[in-house]
Amino acid sequence: MDEKAAAERPARAIFASGDRFARAAPYAGLVLCAALALVPLVLGDYGRSLVAEVLLYCIFAMSLDLLMGYTGLMSFGHAAFFGIGAYTVAVLGVQFGLHPLLGMLAAVVLASLCAAVIGFFCIRASGVYFIMLTLAFAQLLYSVVIRWRSVTNGTDGITSPQLASGEATYYVVLAFFLIVYFGLRRLVAAPLGNVFIGIRENEMRMRAAGYATARFKLLSFVIGGGLGAIAGALFALHNGFVSPGVLFWMLSGEGMVMVILGGLGTLLGPIVGASVFIILKHLVSIYSSHWEFIVGATFIACVLFFKQGIYGWCRELLEQKSRP
Amino acid sequence: MSILRTVDLTRSFGSLLATDSVSLDIQAGERHAIIGPNGAGKSSLLHQLGGQLRPSSGRIYFKDSDITGLGPERICRLGISRTFQTSNLFSRLSVLENVRLAVLSRRGNPLAPFVPLARLGAIEARSLEILEMVGLAGRKADPVRNLSYGEQRQIEIAIALATEPELLLLDEPTAGMSPAETARMIEFVARLPRTLTVLMIEHDMQVVFSLADRITVLHYGRLLATGTPGEITANKDVQDIYLGSAH
Ligand SMILES: Nc1ncnc2c1ncn2[C@@H]1O[C@H](COP(=O)(O)OP(=O)(O)OP(=O)(O)O)[C@@H](O)[C@H]1O
Ligand SMILES: [Mg+2]
């Protein structure tokens, strides 16, 4: 490549995209948005409900990727925030008759506060200790929900208030999906997102350059937690029923699988990963009760053969093609 | 006027004294070289000045305020920045992104969540200006890991300068460089304004003698001698222990 062209290309080494890919992306995005908007008119109840589920797990995976992929915080307790989101909507609805959309607002506030407290303790640790601490906090919340029967109804779970129709729920989920996606896209390009990326790449260097990295990591944890709660709150709306499974470590693990499967450190990666994961889960569970096994095998294959995840792999292919 | 002072600075690793009651006094604007054999405790001393390592005892004063035990981010904000002995960069990010993060730390608002960083013209311009200074503007889009070792050393300095320090700490800036690159580095440091104080660890005597106003010799963690290049070459202890073995 000649030097002039190299100099004129925007300086974004990791995320640099093939020109053709970058030019096609907005159109592909528009087509996808239009298709998503038409889903309730085209697909039946089952299809619409499946797409809504996919979208809300996309929000969950994107919020986790802000921690894992952008800030380098391998949280194994992200279900905590999903669960807080779901239970806040359900409990406030059942106990006080609060409208689910207001419940959602409360959920985000509560989850952000919890993330600030949990993050305060976890951020101090790193590596495997961070992973274990986040897991421990999430499991703590799980046992609180199981024990606090008077409010949460324990292992029996509680019904959650819902919107008037499935279509309305779908459009609310879609709206939040778009808000979170475009919001995060701006965030990761903004100074704050670049600071997160710097911390992921070399925290010691960031500190030597004057960044109080502990505070930025906490901030990332709080934002990720708040967004994770949106996914959980939407789950309550969508599902109409919440049980302690939404706080169980399995969900944290599934979130990590979605992110890694799709591709760490990108926004489309978690979207691809969550979509593949949820659709696979539905398809396989029709034929077999061992869907975890199949998903697990897919995941291992993915980690072994395309290290950058499905999205990263597709992107590499496209870039190779667009090179002369 | 002294800009940096250490008083009986000591750091132990178990029974080993990496820094053994070192008292330094660096004058504002001077170019001060620290020399000493391998394992003399030069990097350990710099780590303590930069906040990467906590001293076991003793004090560090920067412009007469006590900075002993502060974290690296605080020390950087006060006006001391540094390079590392082995390149310590954002190796997967581009050359421009590396410098831009340091410029953002000093001149921008790192908390801004929605404006794209690439569109903040003042930060971009300043980053390019610094890259121009170290002669790497032409490679701004390349990932840093694709640069030669010598070029990576220059990025180290670019990042350190981007935080606009009053005191610059360099840990072996020419280590691993070709003679031509070393010559360019000498010229570069020589051209830095005298409002900036430079404290550098250096093995290459040619670099030391062409840049340093004063030299401090460390040996087994102890300060053996401090003085002008003339005084140091004339010093009997230094000849015995250090220069004697080097020549
Ligand atoms: N983290 C550590 N733990 C234990 N010992 C250490 C540590 N860091 C340094 N040391 C020891 O302290 C002594 C001084 O090391 P230091 O890196 O400061 O030397 P140096 O003068 O920079 O050497 P070089 O010229 O090889 O860079 C060495 O004996 C080293 O082994
Ligand atoms: Mg050293």
Side-chain angles (χ1 to χ4, degrees):
Chain A
M1 196 186 305
D2 67 306
E3 210 169 293
K4 187 139 179 277
E8 277 166 4
R9 232 185 19 193
R12 311 206 60 216
I14 294 190
F15 310 110
S17 45
D19 287 345
R20 198 203 288 180
F21 186 75
R23 245 178 289 132
Y27 299 105
L30 268 180
V31 171
L32 187 65
C33 285
L36 285 173
L38 292 176
V39 158
L41 310 177
V42 179
L43 299 181
D45 281 357
Y46 176 77
R48 186 199 64 226
S49 160
L50 179 61
V51 177
E53 193 179 328
V54 165
L55 291 177
L56 73 89
Y57 280 105
C58 286
I59 296 176
F60 182 60
M62 283 190 284
S63 70
L64 179 56
D65 193 35
L66 180 69
L67 304 185
M68 288 174 58
Y70 285 95
T71 321
L73 298 170
M74 291 296 155
S75 171
F76 193 13
H78 209 54
F81 307 113
F82 189 92
I84 289 170
Y87 268 102
T88 307
V89 167
V91 169
L92 290 182
V94 169
Q95 303 266 344
F96 305 104
L98 195 71
H99 190 273
L101 290 180
L102 287 176
M104 209 163 149
L105 191 68
V108 172
V109 172
L110 184 63
S112 303
L113 288 176
C114 286
V117 175
I118 295 176
F120 178 82
F121 292 103
C122 296
I123 287 323
R124 267 136 237 280
S126 60
V128 83
Y129 299 102
F130 179 83
I131 297 177
M132 287 299 140
L133 264 180
T134 48
L135 172 65
F137 273 105
Q139 288 299 98
L140 189 74
L141 280 177
Y142 173 75
S143 62
V144 166
V145 161
I146 287 191
R147 301 268 156 74
W148 200 7
R149 291 196 62 92
S150 57
V151 172
T152 64
N153 213 15
T155 45
D156 295 339
I158 50 173
T159 52
S160 163
Q162 285 188 290
L163 297 178
S165 70
E167 282 85 357
T169 308
Y170 176 84
Y171 283 114
V172 168
V173 173
L174 176 59
F176 276 100
F177 167 78
L178 293 174
I179 291 169
V180 171
Y181 172 73
F182 286 106
L184 279 177
R185 237 174 79 137
R186 295 225 85 169
L187 175 67
V188 298
L192 187 56
N194 278 268
V195 171
F196 291 160
I197 292 171
I199 292 173
R200 173 193 74 194
E201 293 294 312
N202 189 344
E203 183 175 358
M204 189 220 236
R205 198 69 190 81
M206 286 298 273
R207 293 189 71 192
Y211 289 101
T213 54
R215 276 184 228 163
F216 285 97
K217 288 200 286 186
L218 184 59
L219 186 57
S220 172
F221 203 78
V222 169
I223 297 172
L227 296 179
I230 292 182
L234 291 172
F235 172 81
L237 275 190
H238 165 77
N239 203 45
F241 179 77
V242 178
S243 65
V246 294
L247 279 158
F248 199 49
W249 66 266
M250 274 277 284
L251 179 60
S252 300
E254 286 173 2
M256 293 178 102
V257 170
M258 291 173 196
V259 172
I260 295 169
L261 191 68
L264 272 171
T266 60
L267 285 177
L268 291 178
I271 292 177
V272 172
S275 309
V276 169
F277 187 94
I278 299 295
I279 290 169
L280 209 63
K281 177 171 164 176
H282 274 258
L283 284 181
V284 176
S285 58
I286 294 173
Y287 303 107
S288 141
S289 55
H290 302 298
W291 77 271
E292 284 108 335
F293 172 77
I294 304 206
V295 170
T298 318
F299 177 63
I300 290 169
C302 214
V303 170
L304 285 180
F305 299 115
F306 353 100
K307 292 203 174 66
Q308 298 165 285
I310 301 172
Y311 171 69
W313 178 71
C314 293
R315 187 150 188 174
E316 211 162 68
L317 269 189
L318 277 166
E319 274 172 27
Q320 271 166 12
K321 268 199 186 155
S322 67
R323 235 172 259 148
Chain B
M1 193 193 81
S2 108
I3 188 167
L4 182 85
R5 220 150 44 81
T6 69
V7 179
D8 292 331
L9 198 66
T10 300
R11 167 72 206 209
S12 53
F13 290 113
S15 61
L16 175 85
L17 282 172
T19 307
D20 188 356
S21 10
V22 169
S23 297
L24 273 179
D25 195 344
I26 311 292
Q27 299 301 304
E30 86 172 298
R31 272 84 184 102
H32 196 110
I34 296 181
I35 62 174
N38 287 101
K42 305 179 296 295
S43 295
S44 300
L45 175 62
L46 218 66
H47 288 329
Q48 291 167 80
L49 302 180
Q52 279 77 26
L53 189 66
R54 261 176 181 280
S56 306
S57 65
R59 310 235 62 94
I60 305 169
Y61 299 93
F62 177 60
K63 296 194 291 183
D64 288 325
S65 60
D66 191 341
I67 61 164
T68 321
L70 295 186
E73 61 274 6
R74 298 277 305 281
I75 288 180
C76 174
R77 297 227 157 261
L78 288 171
I80 302 179
S81 64
R82 64 165 301 175
T83 65
F84 292 83
Q85 184 168 350
T86 48
S87 292
N88 190 351
L89 299 164
F90 309 101
S91 60
R92 299 196 300 164
L93 302 185
S94 74
V95 168
L96 178 62
E97 283 170 327
N98 268 263
V99 175
R100 205 169 54 183
L101 276 172
V103 172
L104 176 69
S105 161
R106 184 69 183 184
R107 296 204 173 179
N109 171 16
L111 285 171
F114 292 122
V115 209
L117 178 53
R119 259 190 252 153
L120 297 177
I123 296 204
E124 193 92 347
R126 175 70 186 149
S127 310
L128 287 172
E129 192 181 309
I130 291 168
L131 283 177
E132 211 67 75
M133 260 167 63
V134 297
L136 284 171
R139 312 216 41 191
K140 64 175 183 175
D142 294 344
V144 156
R145 61 168 167 213
N146 291 359
L147 266 55
S148 75
Y149 190 73
E151 288 169 329
Q152 293 193 13
R153 305 296 299 160
Q154 283 165 280
I155 298 289
E156 279 273 336
I157 295 205
I159 291 182
L161 287 176
T163 57
E164 298 171 31
E166 285 174 67
L167 172 62
L168 181 63
L169 310 174
L170 304 175
D171 196 344
E172 303 198 16
T174 65
M177 281 190 166
S178 69
E181 283 172 332
T182 301
R184 250 185 290 139
M185 182 61 78
I186 293 176
E187 201 197 317
F188 180 78
V189 175
R191 274 207 321 255
L192 289 173
R194 281 278 167 172
T195 47
L196 180 67
T197 309
V198 181
L199 175 62
M200 70 178 126
I201 294 173
E202 188 51 73
H203 269 302
D204 186 332
M205 286 304 140
Q206 193 203 336
V207 179
V208 171
F209 286 106
S210 43
L211 285 174
D213 302 318
R214 286 198 304 151
I215 299 170
T216 289
V217 186
L218 286 186
H219 188 55
Y220 289 122
R222 296 204 151 196
L223 194 150
L224 194 69
T226 290
T228 60
E231 286 162 6
I232 293 298
T233 36
N235 186 302
K236 196 82 189 71
D237 292 339
V238 177
Q239 283 171 5
D240 286 352
I241 291 164
Y242 186 75
L243 295 174
S245 63
H247 290 290

